[in-house]
Amino acid sequence: MNDVPKIRLQGVQKRFGPKVVLDGVDLEIPRGKSLVVIGGSGTGKSVMIKCVLGLMRPEKGSIQIDGEETVGLRGDARDRLMRKFGMLFQGAALFDSLRVWENVAFGLIQGRGMGRVQAKKLAQEKLGQVGLGAEVGELFPAELSGGMQKRVALARAIAAEPEIIFFDEPTTGLDPIMADVINDLIVHCVEQLGATTLSITHDMASARKIADRVAMIHKGKIIWTGPVEEVDRSGNPFVDQFIHGRAEGPIHMEVRRP
Ligand SMILES: Nc1ncnc2c1ncn2[C@@H]1O[C@H](COP(=O)(O)OP(=O)(O)O)[C@@H](O)[C@H]1O
Ligand SMILES: [Mg+2]
């Protein structure tokens, strides 16, 4: 059925000891759409993605993919689900000891048992899609600039042509021009795949470029959601403060004074 959301979170709660990080998160992403979750540092954005990926287990709530409950899935069922996912981790998170092409091909070889020769060919193709030549595939991550590392991480995220891609802070640490190049590549690659995406960022320029819809997380809850065109007239003081980067407003940063 086409009206079943690709991704649906309902009442997702995650705590660490006494600290409640996600306090009943509700989100829906239709098939082929791109949702960007914005919010300050430490508000639980990465934790939310880790819950959807199954790397962390929420205490309460439901996470459905294609209408199927995924909380608590294990073994073969979890493996099958993971094949739908591609992921670009915060800070690129490449394997230092593997060559670039091996990084891109990692999931193909380890996850799907593809032969090295075929996997290398595919990795080179994906590197081409993000504007890197085959010779870059022979280098190690430490030999690349930050922007190139992000491109490699993007090539890895799309290598297995996943139905769903998660982007965790894809532009953090890049200069604004390189960030824009990465945003354009994300939009292009996602369009080509027709993938559904869930991204998190605190970079509004990135959100404006890659989002169909934006949701804002604050204190463990989604406090606003709407089409990206409406983010400037949300009428929500939290959203306004965030997108204008103002210190004054309803969001109070916890600053510990000496
Ligand atoms: N494995 C963990 N154990 C304990 N606390 C954690 C763990 N992972 C994240 N946290 C806490 O959860 C909160 C949200 O973290 P995170 O989701 O990484 O924030 P961000 O929105 O910046 O991505 C932070 O206060 C962090 O310290
Ligand atoms: Mg994070």
Side-chain angles (χ1 to χ4, degrees):
M1 277 195 332
N2 270 335
D3 50 354
V4 174
K6 192 75 182 167
I7 303 174
R8 171 186 269 164
L9 281 69
Q10 285 171 303
V12 172
Q13 206 183 88
K14 178 71 197 167
R15 55 164 70 208
F16 296 101
K19 183 173 178 173
V20 177
V21 176
L22 302 179
D23 190 14
V25 168
D26 298 316
L27 275 183
E28 273 187 19
I29 314 178
R31 179 189 309 269
K33 296 291 177 191
S34 166
L35 178 81
V36 175
V37 177
I38 58 173
S41 302
T43 50
K45 303 186 300 299
S46 292
V47 167
M48 183 185 71
I49 281 200
K50 285 174 186 162
C51 287
V52 181
L53 275 167
L55 301 175
M56 286 179 176
R57 185 173 178 160
E59 281 80 41
K60 277 194 201 160
S62 157
I63 300 173
Q64 294 182 0
I65 306 290
D66 292 318
E68 184 200 2
E69 182 58 49
T70 68
V71 173
L73 272 192
R74 294 200 249 162
D76 287 350
R78 169 66 55 190
D79 290 346
R80 263 198 307 281
L81 176 67
M82 292 304 277
R83 289 205 191 134
K84 295 184 179 181
F85 297 160
M87 172 77 209
L88 194 155
F89 288 100
Q90 194 164 358
L94 301 173
F95 302 111
D96 296 333
S97 59
L98 298 182
R99 291 184 191 277
V100 163
W101 80 261
E102 291 172 316
N103 265 282
V104 175
F106 189 81
L108 300 171
I109 295 171
Q110 299 298 323
R112 299 178 189 228
M114 190 183 280
R116 280 177 71 83
V117 175
Q118 193 192 350
K120 183 168 186 176
K121 203 165 149 260
L122 227 151
Q124 287 171 338
E125 220 170 85
K126 298 298 168 190
L127 286 169
Q129 275 183 31
V130 299
L132 298 175
E135 71 285 357
V136 176
E138 302 301 324
L139 302 176
F140 288 94
E143 299 176 271
L144 307 181
S145 68
M148 284 167 91
Q149 289 180 358
K150 293 276 185 175
R151 286 179 194 233
V152 173
L154 176 59
R156 180 171 65 182
I158 63 171
E161 309 196 342
E163 298 170 27
I164 297 171
I165 313 179
F166 302 97
F167 295 102
D168 189 349
E169 307 273 2
T171 56
T172 296
L174 300 179
D175 68 69
I177 295 171
M178 186 49 71
D180 203 45
V181 169
I182 296 295
N183 288 331
D184 283 340
L185 279 172
I186 287 174
V187 170
H188 176 75
C189 291
V190 168
E191 235 166 44
Q192 263 195 339
L193 284 175
T196 306
T197 65
L198 170 59
S199 311
I200 55 187
T201 188
H202 55 243
D203 172 2
M204 274 315 294
S206 181
R208 286 177 200 282
K209 201 118 193 198
I210 65 184
D212 294 313
R213 288 180 73 83
V214 173
M216 176 152 177
I217 188 169
H218 180 66
K219 295 208 165 157
K221 289 192 169 74
I222 302 296
I223 55 158
W224 182 82
T225 176
V228 65
E229 305 80 44
E230 286 175 19
V231 74
D232 291 306
R233 44 191 159 86
S234 66
N236 183 306
F238 292 87
V239 176
D240 276 344
Q241 184 188 353
F242 186 83
I243 67 177
H244 295 112
R246 285 193 292 256
E248 296 296 314
I251 305 169
H252 299 288
M253 298 305 287
E254 284 172 28
V255 182
R256 209 173 277 166
R257 299 187 193 280

